[in-house]
Amino acid sequence: MNGRLKAAGGAVGGGLLVAGTTSDAGKSVVTAGICRWLVRQGVRVAPFKAQNMSLNSFVTREGAEIGRAQAMQAAAARVEPTALMNPVLLKPGSDRSSQVVLLGKPVGELSARGYFGGTSRGEAQYAGRREQLLGTVTDCLQELRRTHDAVICEGAGSPAEINLRRTDIVNMGLARAARIPAVVVGDIDRGGVFASFFGTTALLSKEDQALVAGYLVNKFRGDVTLLEPGLEMLRGLTGRQTLGVLPFAHGLGIDEEDGLRVSLRGAVRESVVAPPHGADVLRVAVCAVPLMSNFTDVDALAAEPGVVVRFVDRPEELADADLVVLPGTRGTVRALAWLRERGLADAIARRAAEGRPVLGICGGYQMLGERIEDEVESKAGVVDGLGLLPVRVRFAAEKTLARPAGRALGEPVEGYEIHHGVAEVTGGDEAFLSDDQGRSLDGCRTGSVWGTHWHGSLESDGFRRAFLRRVAADAGRAFVPAPDTRFGVLREEQLDRLGDLIEEHADTGALLRLLEEGVPEGLPFVPPGAP
């Protein structure tokens, strides 16, 4: 398998689309698992998602913003993430509008109606935009296929969203343009997986159905032999085989695109919980602010034995917390108003007055400051912050996208920055992050209140332990960080578990044939097809 895979009819690497019957069917996990399985076979593989809607993003080495799921899939494939892997990223700013990030750079805000088409004039305007975007994403996919043996593409939502099919560039629209086979993933834990597989296929046009090569059952519990008669009937109804039944496994997943699940917290909570290394646990409360972004920052805390992480939205839930975290958000001013409306702002201020630890990250850091001047994100003008850090924030039109490194609490730290807010620090006890000469790089601390724009800083093991020791001391807890918790190693183990799922429970021979030979011939049409 070390030889170069060839797609049918061309000297480029093989491609495969992992679609799903629904959102959260397991597409991201299956894509990562296939990537890890393939790279362990010596195959040069890359992930790809043409269009992603997510508030959890990452910054590549070249300073491009992409979805965190694609960054983790790149880690599964053991390649450096690039903008090619997620050419279009939509970052919601409200229920009806999103910032459009194209090839890693923001290009503007669009309403959902404006992006997907609306009035006849809007539809005409979008037609040209869609052709341009489809050309961009297929060019990116083509480049990845040229430089890799295989590219595993993740779909979005369901390919049978018939209201969006004409503007689709991420599901069957991409498969049609690139002429690659699709495998449909269904979450059997939700129930109705046979109907979902059949209905998804039957709602596709004849041309789209011709690319659907098979199905993957995800999150199965129990005796698989009891499922086999249904799989045979499904094959009889659709002419397509099921390429694997993946068992339900606790604590699996990669960085979530949306929702409130935290991947490594799941591993700690759902598997055997490691006891605290010291005499006490440490309780972390994360304020679940509106448009919360990059909440994966607290994964590293949740991976520590004895650290309990939970999301909260009421002031009384902060009472027993040893550390309160204000996470990033796509709507800093909106989140600030939400904190005040719910009484959380007053509760956080009381904590700070009592010397109890608070940490703000990115948007959370901005909220802790004295003043926010925003004519970009909310266009609210000047807004008072919580006044807990000597920081003034002005939103700039240009977004900061960077992968900085420095030192904090005597330990090396790496992170990434994604923000429009520019912070002016006017005082404080110390900088949060400094360079090797002790010059301030970012953030600050006043008493037990800390703030930084750097996402991912808690993934640096030495700094995380030093920070938790400070938090425990300020909180009066006999908590001691475990000396051997290595977050990067835990992530690798998790990705290996995903690869194991594919290797042990999927028809890997059939997957390889799809990558090597392309779309199978003669796949039958399932009526009625798209309306």
Side-chain angles (χ1 to χ4, degrees):
M1 261 182 283
N2 289 320
R4 184 172 175 80
L5 292 164
K6 301 287 184 181
V12 295
L16 178 69
L17 173 68
V18 178
T21 56
T22 62
S23 296
D24 202 33
K27 298 182 292 291
S28 296
V29 166
V30 168
T31 299
I34 294 175
C35 285
R36 177 49 59 100
W37 160 65
L38 283 172
V39 77
R40 293 194 308 207
Q41 310 307 309
V43 176
R44 294 177 300 171
V45 60
F48 180 78
K49 187 161 185 173
Q51 175 185 290
N52 197 352
M53 179 173 281
S54 177
L55 287 172
N56 284 337
S57 58
F58 184 75
V59 179
T60 67
R61 292 287 180 195
E62 70 268 29
E65 185 179 7
I66 65 172
R68 274 199 68 93
Q70 281 61 67
M72 286 298 291
Q73 289 162 355
R78 295 176 180 152
V79 294
E80 188 68 30
T82 73
L84 293 174
M85 297 173 184
N86 180 204
V88 181
L89 174 63
L90 306 178
K91 302 193 71 175
S94 71
D95 292 340
R96 297 192 175 190
S97 68
S98 294
Q99 183 181 65
V100 181
V101 179
L102 182 62
L103 292 175
K105 303 297 181 183
V107 294
E109 295 273 344
L110 273 179
S111 68
R113 189 177 183 88
Y115 186 79
F116 291 107
T119 64
S120 58
R121 181 180 179 184
E123 289 172 357
Q125 290 173 335
Y126 182 80
R129 186 185 305 129
R130 177 189 175 278
E131 289 177 7
Q132 181 182 12
L133 288 176
L134 182 59
T136 297
V137 301
T138 53
D139 286 348
C140 291
L141 176 56
Q142 181 73 5
E143 178 62 18
L144 288 173
R145 293 179 72 182
R146 188 184 66 80
T147 55
H148 295 80
D149 301 329
V151 180
I152 310 302
C153 308
E154 180 188 342
S158 164
E161 291 170 352
I162 54 180
N163 57 313
L164 300 177
R165 175 59 185 91
R166 68 178 182 81
T167 59
D168 170 46
I169 61 171
V170 64
N171 289 308
M172 303 314 297
L174 175 71
R176 287 264 294 273
R179 194 64 191 169
I180 58 174
V183 174
V184 180
V185 178
D187 179 358
I188 197 170
D189 198 48
R190 294 181 174 188
V193 74
F194 293 118
S196 297
F197 283 142
F198 181 86
T200 296
T201 308
L203 277 177
L204 300 179
S205 69
K206 183 177 180 179
E207 294 78 10
D208 286 351
Q209 285 192 30
L211 302 177
V212 177
Y215 310 112
L216 264 174
V217 176
N218 193 28
K219 299 182 185 178
F220 179 72
R221 307 173 191 249
D223 184 350
V224 73
T225 61
L226 299 176
L227 193 65
E228 288 170 353
L231 301 180
E232 282 301 313
M233 286 187 275
L234 181 67
R235 183 168 187 173
L237 288 166
T238 66
R240 291 156 176 84
Q241 64 176 321
T242 298
L243 304 178
V245 178
L246 309 182
F248 188 100
H250 291 284
L252 284 185
I254 63 175
D255 290 6
E256 301 285 348
E257 292 183 352
D258 289 296
L260 283 181
R261 284 187 303 277
V262 179
S263 56
L264 287 182
R265 182 185 66 163
V268 171
R269 286 281 185 87
E270 296 176 10
S271 60
V272 178
V273 178
H277 188 71
D280 210 347
V281 299
L282 205 64
R283 296 172 177 84
V284 179
V286 185
C287 293
V289 298
L291 298 174
M292 183 167 54
S293 62
N294 288 69
F295 52 82
T296 46
D297 281 329
V298 299
D299 275 1
L301 295 178
E304 285 283 350
V307 175
V308 180
V309 178
R310 67 184 188 273
F311 289 90
V312 304
D313 59 5
R314 295 178 299 183
E316 56 268 26
E317 294 177 296
L318 305 186
D320 66 343
D322 303 307
L323 170 66
V324 169
V325 177
L326 286 179
T329 172
R330 173 82 166 84
T332 301
V333 171
R334 176 179 169 182
L336 189 55
W338 180 87
L339 290 175
R340 288 181 167 130
E341 289 165 3
R342 289 181 168 257
L344 285 160
D346 289 339
I348 292 169
R350 287 193 297 270
R351 287 185 61 88
E354 295 165 359
R356 302 173 68 195
V358 177
L359 169 64
I361 302 174
C362 200
Y365 167 42
Q366 295 166 6
M367 287 186 276
L368 290 172
E370 298 169 345
R371 188 181 72 183
I372 298 170
E373 183 181 340
D374 182 11
E375 299 291 351
V376 175
E377 191 175 77
S378 69
K379 299 180 172 59
V382 178
V383 177
D384 288 337
L386 297 179
L388 302 180
L389 288 176
V391 176
R392 296 176 181 177
V393 176
R394 178 185 56 82
F395 274 64
E398 185 174 350
K399 182 185 284 189
T400 297
L401 297 169
R403 287 277 293 273
R407 299 187 68 81
L409 300 180
E411 300 286 347
V413 180
E414 293 184 355
Y416 58 100
E417 294 184 74
I418 307 171
H419 55 91
H420 283 279
V422 178
E424 177 191 0
V425 179
T426 60
D429 298 332
E430 63 178 315
F432 192 106
L433 294 139
S434 304
D435 62 15
D436 290 335
Q437 283 72 49
R439 293 172 297 204
S440 174
L441 292 176
D442 179 78
C444 68
R445 176 186 69 82
T446 296
S448 59
V449 180
W450 308 68
T452 177
H453 270 131
W454 290 18
H455 294 290
S457 61
L458 293 167
E459 296 178 18
S460 298
D461 296 329
F463 165 67
R464 183 180 64 255
R465 295 185 194 114
F467 178 69
L468 289 176
R469 282 192 290 269
R470 290 282 291 269
V471 168
D474 288 346
R477 292 283 186 185
F479 169 85
V480 179
D484 54 354
T485 301
R486 292 186 292 168
F487 187 72
V489 171
L490 290 175
R491 268 200 170 145
E492 276 297 300
E493 291 174 352
Q494 192 177 45
L495 294 172
D496 274 332
R497 290 177 67 196
L498 296 179
D500 293 343
L501 274 183
I502 299 299
E503 185 169 346
E504 296 168 10
H505 300 283
D507 186 341
T508 54
L511 292 175
L512 277 175
R513 284 192 295 275
L514 291 176
L515 288 166
E516 291 171 342
E517 301 171 12
V519 181
E521 295 287 338
L523 291 170
F525 173 70
V526 179

